[in-house]
Amino acid sequence: MKKYNIMLLTMMAGCLVACSSGDHDHGHDHEADEHEAHGEHAGEIIMTTEQMEKAGVKTETAKAADFMAVMKAAGQIGRPQGDEQTIAATASGIIRIANPSMSEGSPIGKGQTIATVTARNLQDGDPTAKAKAAFEAAKKELERMKDLVDDKIVSQRDYEQAKLNFQTARASYRGIAKQTRDGQTSIAAGMGGYVKTLMVKSGDYVDVGDPIATITQDRRLQLKVDVPECAYKDMKNINGANFRTTGDDKVYRLADINGRLVSYSRTLPEGSAYLPATFEMDNVGAIVPGSFVEVFLLLKVRKNVISVPTSALTEEQGTHYIYIKEEGHKHNDEGVFEKREVKIGQTDGLRTEIISGLKEGEAVVSKGAYQVKLAAASAVIPEGHSHNH
């Protein structure tokens, strides 16, 4: 009986081991099946429609089209000559700025008084009073000479000289008196615009002709580009330009801001290895004169070039990638993306040529590529997503 009980216990233990082993094998098969179900998603990036909308993800269909050949160069923003005016002192004396709060950037209207000059307390005396005295003396001398010349007491030549002296004194006095009131000479702006530079301060002494301020209208700007000597042969093919300011991702198209090529040099400036090319454009308000820019000179048209918006590219250790949106995904509330390495060619700042890695008809992420990259790096399946489709 005892032997029988031992055999029974041994059989029961074997059954338990078998059942346990069977349960384990079943669990392993389930995990394998689940892994196989996940296999179709290997290397894919999945985002919900809501996530794509929040990230601003947009796509465009790749296609071959015209693309301008590009030459990159460096440039600087400046102002055209006719857009600025230097205001000079019209009298000698102590200057006083009309508006104490005037500074660089202050708006100025045409004919607006910028400053006044007075010499009443100077050792040389008031120039207005001196001009008036000289005028009155010349007038009396001319009247006296007129009576004498009629009586043939003085020569006609002396009379003509007295007449010239009178006319000179009158012009000088009128010029000063027109701008002077209560012993102060007003200096006005010849055009409207903004104060670019203020060269003096209240209490300074100025002579006639000394610069006081520079006024700029700020309506037009110049883009001066330094083209390498080796690219001289391409300068005759320049059809336009795009540019990007230092530290700013925004690219400006000259075609969008009424820009045009004004001139380019046919000879090298002395001591330089660059040929200057000059463009003019409207001042859209966000471009600071004096700033340095990266320029993309647009040359001849190239046919059948596949390109993408520059915003579609991401870079990792010198290698460029794009993200392709897989079409025909069976779940409409999701976007499935593939990260793909590409070889790039020329860029005009706005679009970049793709030499390899992209085919016509594929949907490439044109905006929000960086957000898709972050989604891939997170390696987290969006909340509510399940592969048990």
Side-chain angles (χ1 to χ4, degrees):
M1 186 70 177
K2 182 176 180 181
K3 183 177 181 181
Y4 174 79
N5 289 339
I6 293 173
M7 291 176 63
L8 181 61
L9 289 173
T10 301
M11 292 174 63
M12 291 176 63
C15 289
L16 289 172
V17 171
C19 289
S20 175
S21 176
D23 291 343
H24 174 73
D25 290 342
H26 175 73
H28 175 75
D29 291 342
H30 174 74
E31 290 176 1
D33 292 342
E34 185 176 7
H35 177 72
E36 289 177 5
H38 286 340
E40 62 180 1
H41 295 276
E44 292 177 345
I45 305 152
I46 301 173
M47 297 179 72
T48 65
T49 300
E50 182 181 359
Q51 287 174 324
M52 288 188 290
E53 289 178 353
K54 287 183 178 180
V57 176
K58 303 291 183 183
T59 63
E60 72 170 45
T61 302
K63 60 181 180 179
D66 291 348
F67 187 83
M68 303 290 284
V70 180
M71 177 172 57
K72 294 183 69 174
Q76 187 175 19
I77 303 297
R79 289 189 174 94
Q81 289 292 332
D83 205 46
E84 293 185 355
Q85 184 182 78
T86 299
I87 309 301
T90 55
S92 298
I94 303 301
I95 195 167
R96 184 181 69 83
I97 304 300
N99 182 358
S101 62
M102 182 182 295
S103 60
E104 296 179 357
S106 297
I108 292 292
K110 182 177 181 180
Q112 179 180 339
T113 298
I114 294 178
T116 58
V117 176
T118 181
R120 284 181 298 184
N121 298 323
L122 296 181
Q123 184 177 1
D124 291 340
D126 186 351
T128 303
K130 291 165 67 175
K132 182 179 180 180
F135 164 67
E136 292 177 346
K139 183 180 180 180
K140 290 180 179 178
E141 178 65 12
L142 178 62
E143 291 173 349
R144 187 182 72 84
M145 295 287 284
K146 186 177 180 180
D147 294 335
L148 295 177
V149 76
D150 290 341
D151 295 335
K152 308 264 187 214
I153 298 176
V154 297
S155 66
Q156 186 67 30
R157 180 179 178 180
D158 290 340
Y159 172 74
E160 293 297 333
Q161 183 62 48
K163 186 176 180 180
L164 178 60
N165 293 340
F166 165 75
Q167 291 173 341
T168 302
R170 183 179 61 182
S172 177
Y173 172 62
R174 286 180 177 178
I176 295 176
K178 186 178 180 179
Q179 305 174 63
T180 303
R181 179 175 297 178
D182 298 329
Q184 293 184 336
T185 300
S186 297
I187 303 171
M191 69 179 191
Y194 300 89
V195 177
K196 177 186 177 183
T197 311
L198 197 59
M199 290 91 156
V200 297
K201 60 182 182 296
S202 291
D204 287 348
Y205 176 83
V206 294
D207 279 321
V208 175
D210 285 350
I212 292 174
T214 302
I215 307 299
T216 178
Q217 292 183 327
D218 235 13
R219 294 181 304 179
R220 297 279 286 175
L221 292 174
Q222 279 189 344
L223 170 60
K224 295 183 178 180
V225 184
D226 291 328
V227 181
E229 177 186 358
C230 60
Y232 174 73
K233 63 182 183 300
D234 295 319
M235 293 185 72
K236 61 180 180 296
N237 298 321
I238 295 175
N239 288 313
N242 302 334
F243 66 91
R244 176 170 51 210
T245 57
T246 304
D248 187 1
D249 291 333
K250 182 176 175 58
V251 176
Y252 296 89
R253 297 177 69 246
L254 286 183
D256 294 339
I257 52 178
N258 195 24
R260 66 185 183 90
L261 176 65
V262 177
S263 64
Y264 66 87
S265 178
R266 272 73 172 176
T267 58
L268 283 172
E270 186 176 353
S272 175
Y274 296 92
L275 295 156
T278 303
F279 296 84
E280 276 193 9
M281 58 195 168
D282 288 342
N283 187 353
V284 295
I287 307 170
V288 180
S291 58
F292 292 93
V293 296
E294 181 182 11
V295 184
F296 307 90
L297 296 172
L298 307 180
L299 307 176
K300 291 182 178 180
V301 174
R302 298 170 56 204
K303 298 288 185 180
N304 299 318
V305 175
I306 295 179
S307 67
V308 298
T310 303
S311 58
L313 293 165
T314 60
E315 184 180 356
E316 298 175 16
Q317 298 180 346
T319 302
H320 294 89
Y321 297 91
I322 58 173
Y323 292 90
I324 303 297
K325 187 174 186 293
E326 297 182 4
E327 298 297 335
H329 189 59
K330 58 186 177 181
H331 295 280
N332 295 327
D333 62 339
E334 293 177 343
V336 180
F337 302 92
E338 172 198 349
K339 180 181 179 181
R340 188 182 298 174
E341 180 181 343
V342 292
K343 184 177 180 181
I344 66 171
Q346 294 184 339
T347 179
D348 64 5
L350 295 169
R351 299 188 68 87
T352 300
E353 174 189 9
I354 302 298
I355 297 176
S356 64
L358 178 63
K359 298 177 182 178
E360 285 193 82
E362 292 186 303
V364 61
V365 175
S366 57
K367 292 183 179 180
Y370 184 71
Q371 283 69 25
V372 177
K373 178 181 178 180
L374 291 178
S378 66
V380 176
I381 297 175
E383 183 179 352
H385 177 80
S386 172
H387 291 302
N388 297 322
H389 300 317

